[in-house]
Amino acid sequence: MPTALITGVTGQDGSYLAEFLLARGYRVVGMVRRTSTINFHRIAHIQDKIELVPGDLSDQISLIRILEEYKPDEVYNLAAQSFVQTSWNQPVFTGDVTALGVTRVLDAIRIVDPAIRLYQASSSEMFGKVVEVPQKETTPFYPRSPYGVAKVYGHWITVNYRESYDLHATSGILFNHESPRRGLEFVTRKITHQAARIKLGLVGELRLGNLDARRDWGFAGDYVRAMWLMLQRDTPEDYVIATGETHSVEQFLDVAFGHLDMDWREYVVQDERFMRPAEVDLLVGDPSKAGRDLGWEPAVSFVELVKMMVDADLKLIRNGEIAV
């Protein structure tokens, strides 16, 4: 039975990845950070099947201890301060966790067992002010937020350790991937949850920032499969994981509200508070390398994804459950 360690196991990607690995017979160890509000809701249905251990990307000793005790074959580093808007308000914290945290993971692996295979979660936000369309593995980075800058550091330190210490370390440059488990702070989930509340008469409006921003949106459940496939290859390489399609926030609103037989224009108000200091206008990935090398392609379409999220939020609200 192979053992996998997932940092950020309580997040959207961590929960889907844990499910995926359990279905393949893995022993799954999830690292959780001690906070004042520990929330295991995304993994509640599988919590008895995984081993949760305390640790922190800011604490090198805890990482070394976990690797020594659980001896994982694979490490998936999904933990980060991952909300772009927050990175403007907490740039130093974002840099410490999202950037330097990667170095601590890599160095812990180098010290404890260089044979451990590492997946590092890179991000399309590294491309930022894009210099070519679509973006692929060789596209230069031009990040436009502290989060994007931190992810660039994490990406290049992974490359550096791979080449310097012969580690099997791979970065997946994942474009936006969503699901019903997405946090409410992200625009996609904010839209689907508020649209459901408006439909049920609980609120009367939805406030958003830039409606023209375009993103390559896929389903998180599809994307964790790509993470696993990367670590099964003999040679570590970096891959763009995306749908190859781009859609605007307006188009997301069209599908979400249209699914509920509503016109979003009657409810959406643009609010300067939700505008980024430096906006990323267009992101669309070229996943052809992942298709060739990994045999990976997305299974859930953009429209299916939006409808899935709207339906899940409707059910959540009708059942009186608290959304997070």
Side-chain angles (χ1 to χ4, degrees):
M1 178 187 294
T3 298
L5 169 66
I6 304 173
T7 72
V9 72
T10 59
Q12 170 189 254
D13 292 6
S15 66
Y16 279 110
L17 179 61
E19 285 177 347
F20 180 90
L21 294 176
L22 286 171
R24 276 152 185 78
Y26 275 71
R27 175 196 185 198
V28 176
V29 179
M31 190 181 87
V32 292
R33 183 168 59 95
R34 179 70 179 93
T35 66
S36 57
T37 54
I38 297 177
N39 200 326
F40 294 147
H41 73 280
R42 293 187 182 94
I43 58 170
H45 61 297
I46 55 172
Q47 195 169 335
D48 61 338
K49 299 177 182 177
I50 61 181
E51 300 172 58
L52 297 177
V53 296
D56 198 308
L57 290 187
S58 297
D59 182 17
Q60 179 89 16
I61 300 301
S62 70
L63 299 174
I64 292 174
R65 178 187 56 79
I66 292 170
L67 295 182
E68 288 178 337
E69 181 175 349
Y70 292 92
K71 299 178 172 53
D73 302 284
E74 300 170 358
V75 173
Y76 295 85
N77 184 37
L78 310 184
Q81 190 303 98
S82 59
F83 188 43
V84 175
Q85 194 72 32
T86 296
S87 76
W88 289 104
N89 298 324
Q90 297 180 293
V92 176
F93 172 69
T94 300
D96 182 55
V97 175
T98 306
L100 289 178
V102 184
T103 309
R104 297 185 187 107
V105 172
L106 284 160
D107 220 39
I109 289 173
R110 180 186 66 83
I111 292 167
V112 175
D113 182 4
I116 295 172
R117 297 189 174 197
L118 171 71
Y119 170 83
Q120 165 58 22
S122 287
S123 167
S124 59
E125 288 287 333
M126 301 188 304
F127 295 120
K129 187 176 180 180
V130 299
V131 298
E132 67 176 345
V133 178
Q135 294 87 54
K136 48 185 181 288
E137 291 80 7
T138 56
T139 301
F141 300 136
Y142 197 142
R144 297 273 281 172
S145 67
Y147 170 76
V149 172
K151 279 294 185 182
V152 170
Y153 176 94
H155 181 87
W156 280 117
I157 199 66
T158 301
V159 172
N160 192 269
Y161 268 66
R162 178 171 72 211
E163 295 177 350
S164 301
Y165 299 114
D166 197 29
L167 299 184
H168 194 296
T170 293
S171 285
I173 307 173
L174 271 57
F175 279 64
N176 294 67
H177 44 291
E178 318 297 319
S179 77
R181 300 178 194 174
R182 192 53 138 161
L184 285 174
E185 69 271 24
F186 292 87
V187 66
T188 50
R189 181 73 192 293
K190 182 178 180 180
I191 290 171
T192 61
H193 189 254
Q194 286 295 97
R197 295 182 74 207
I198 290 170
K199 181 66 176 180
L200 296 175
L202 300 176
V203 293
E205 68 176 23
L206 165 60
R207 290 183 171 268
L208 296 173
N210 182 11
L211 305 185
D212 298 321
R214 302 182 67 87
R215 296 290 184 271
D216 185 326
W217 279 301
F219 173 50
D222 287 339
Y223 285 38
V224 299
R225 178 164 43 90
M227 300 176 188
W228 176 78
L229 286 168
M230 290 179 212
L231 293 197
Q232 309 319 303
R233 286 180 56 81
D234 292 335
T235 304
E237 294 183 46
D238 303 325
Y239 291 91
V240 162
I241 304 299
T243 69
E245 299 178 3
T246 186
H247 300 275
S248 67
V249 176
E250 272 199 14
Q251 288 174 301
F252 199 104
L253 287 165
D254 276 332
V255 178
F257 278 76
H259 187 48
L260 297 171
D261 298 317
M262 297 189 297
D263 183 347
W264 64 266
R265 293 166 187 82
E266 298 177 14
Y267 305 99
V268 173
V269 177
Q270 283 195 276
D271 191 325
E272 289 290 332
R273 292 178 300 163
F274 301 114
M275 298 289 188
R276 296 184 186 180
E279 183 58 85
V280 175
D281 295 315
L282 171 63
L283 290 174
V284 56
D286 176 2
S288 56
K289 181 183 176 184
R292 288 192 309 270
D293 291 2
L294 307 177
W296 179 87
E297 60 181 24
V300 177
S301 72
F302 171 73
V303 171
E304 289 170 336
L305 170 65
V306 179
K307 290 181 177 179
M308 174 202 305
M309 293 175 66
V310 170
D311 288 340
D313 274 321
L314 267 178
K315 181 179 178 181
L316 187 81
I317 296 166
R318 282 174 172 155
N319 289 344
E321 298 176 45
I322 299 174
V324 288

